[in-house]
Amino acid sequence: MYTGLIATRYATALADFAAANGEERAVYDDVRRLIAAYGEDVSVRAALYSPVLPAAAKQALLRQALDGKVSPTFDRFIELVLRHHREKYLHFMLHSYVGVD
């Protein structure tokens, strides 16, 4: 499947989910902070792409990259992405989300 299509679908779903939960601002802030973490720490992306790490460890790593302050909506979104093994598209999803809002 095309990377841009996957990223756009997930970003749109996140926008809808955030709106339904009334957490648009919190999710937007989480997305911006995670984009910054990707840029600052290459090990975040490397660990996320690791086939050896279980999904729970990857989610814990992302929470840590966000200083443990993650909105429930964004946390559930990350869980969904990891459950469907789409973590290699997460960076694209985040940038698509910033363009979607």
Side-chain angles (χ1 to χ4, degrees):
M1 194 176 241
Y2 179 66
T3 301
L5 182 61
I6 292 170
T8 302
R9 285 184 179 173
Y10 274 79
T12 302
L14 176 57
D16 292 344
F17 188 45
N21 292 331
E23 291 190 326
E24 297 98 320
R25 174 51 50 193
V27 170
Y28 181 82
D29 292 343
D30 289 344
V31 168
R32 299 290 297 186
R33 290 184 310 138
L34 193 52
I35 288 172
Y38 260 91
E40 293 171 4
D41 191 357
V42 187
S43 65
V44 170
R45 192 177 308 181
L48 194 60
Y49 295 169
S50 172
V52 188
L53 283 176
K58 292 178 182 183
Q59 188 161 11
L61 171 76
L62 292 174
R63 285 181 188 134
Q64 183 180 4
L66 294 171
D67 298 324
K69 300 171 191 147
V70 183
S71 67
T73 299
F74 191 59
D75 198 43
R76 289 191 55 206
F77 173 76
I78 295 297
E79 183 181 325
L80 174 81
V81 169
L82 294 172
R83 188 176 342 118
H84 290 276
H85 307 287
R86 299 289 195 189
E87 51 266 38
K88 69 180 180 179
Y89 302 109
L90 182 59
H91 189 66
F92 300 105
M93 292 174 198
L94 298 175
H95 282 283
S96 291
Y97 179 81
V98 172
V100 166
D101 70 318

